[in-house]
Amino acid sequence: MDKELDFAVEVEDLTVAYDAKPVLWDVDLLIPRGKILAIVGPNGAGKTTLIKAMLGLLKPVSGSVRFADGDIHSRSVKNSIGYVPQSGSVDWDFPSTVLDVVLMGCYGKLGWIRRPRKEDMELAKQTLTKVSMLDYANRQISQLSGGQQQRVFLARALAQEADIYFMDEPFKGVDAKTELAIVALLRELRAQGKTVVVVHHDLQTVAEYFDWVTLINLRVVASGPVEEVFNEENLQKAYKSKHALLKSVV
Amino acid sequence: MNSFIALFSDYTFQVVALGSALLGMISGVLGSFAVLRKQSLLGDGVSHAALPGVVMAFVLLGSKNTEVLLLGALVSGLMATLFILSIVKHTRIKFDSALALVMSVFFGLGLVLLTYVQKMPNSNQAGLNRFIFGQASTLLQRDLMLMLITGAVLLTLVLLFWKEFKLFTFDSDFAQSLGFSPVTLNLLLSAMIVLSIIIGLQTVGVILMSAMLITPAVAARQWTNKLWVMVTLSAFFGAISGVAGTAASSLIPRLPTGPAIVVCVSVIVIISVLFAPGRGVLHRMYQRRKNKMEYNLKGGAPDVTAN
């Protein structure tokens, strides 16, 4: 592995369990700065768990997650992180407008009690423009389609103005046009030197969209630059499959 | 008309109506968060579970002061909540079963204790059963002060932590990723909801109190898509029901105040569920019919290629 690379996150010996059942075993992982990284693996492989453990939302049984600026629980690290949860994780019938939800991205920098100011409002509108949702700013969130919900969550994460983004299946339920728009956005973030970690499902697009890939199935099967580790052998290991998982593209 | 004027200038009526209005307002505000967090039933559990606490406080401390009895209610309400949450955490019993279990055990215990205490030879225990259905007419000015202070504290906290409560209620994982501890927020909000239940027990009683928490919020949700409008409207619905219920029970002989208030707020929720624009049942029926007629006229599905 290239020693010159600079790492944004270092995961060491991470084990996470729900009740007594481990869902992630002894994970070691380095996330390179300024790259777009995919976390890929079969259903139940622990992809979401890995992201949540890195974000400090789940308490690991053992192991550690280190960010360049320190521990996840420090305020400065929290403020340098953006998070796009799965859109199905919230109740979209909550009484709120699109702009309201995007403004939540600014809450971290505001801290306790302080209210959003005019600048935050401007920022939220800018990020809505980036995901082509400004026209929907005053729309009630229960009226959004699945793809629009994804874009609202993306805009909220952009409003965090983070250095490293964690996105849990941002392409789920979006149409082809929105998918391309999101990819363009990820590339724009990379061009600004930001790191993007994405839980991804579509094996056929991994090589096209991502620089790095981490294949997991309870343990890390392989992690590295796409051209080095994203091959049929590693995929079959991760998916425990004897069939070819990739079309001839790779 | 004259009886109305006489009523509103009556001192007892003023105290009771003001108390009921305050109670309706406070439970309306906090009930909104309980409903949005899908914890409507927890309020029911807490209020039923408060009964043994009331009786125990009387037995142990020998006092019939409202503050003392409500303190007992608070302790047993919190204990029940703790039991429910730890049953869910440590066993495979689901939330609704745990709630029903703890609620009926506590309420049953409360009834047993109450019957026992009422058979005791001194007559001092009379009036404890007012906590079952509530007895608003026993509200005194000092009870009013207690409600006023508690209400002011609760409303100030809601205003202060508005942004945090909203974020936490909508997306607690995201709140945590931003550094707002969901444990702290959950504890604070739950304690506030429990407190708003406890101060209503004397007026409405343990059985009907959850209606005061949930009903105004459900009605308010029908009319708006904005959180602050929902909370304000819910407070308004609660307060207006408090006054209307008190007036009704003063004008109609032998109509108990607590249940009258609950009936008023139920009328509001029925109207809201049926007639609110957008979310109301009638509006949705009308919309469906209109769509159907339009498609029939055009002869086919609407033109989706247009946008």
Side-chain angles (χ1 to χ4, degrees), chain B residues 45-47 49-57 60-61 67-83 102 106 191 194-195 198 201:
Chain B
V46 169
S47 61
L51 190 60
V54 171
V55 188
M56 283 303 280
L60 294 177
L61 302 170
E67 298 93 282
V68 173
L69 299 181
L70 290 187
L71 196 68
L74 183 66
V75 171
S76 75
L78 287 176
M79 263 174 66
T81 314
L82 217 68
F83 273 136
V102 171
F106 269 70
V194 170
L195 211 58
I198 299 300
L201 292 184

Side-chain angles (χ1 to χ4, degrees), chain B residues 4 47 77 115 117 144 160 175 198:
Chain B
F4 259 108
S47 61
T115 320
V117 167
L144 213 60
L160 216 53
I198 299 300

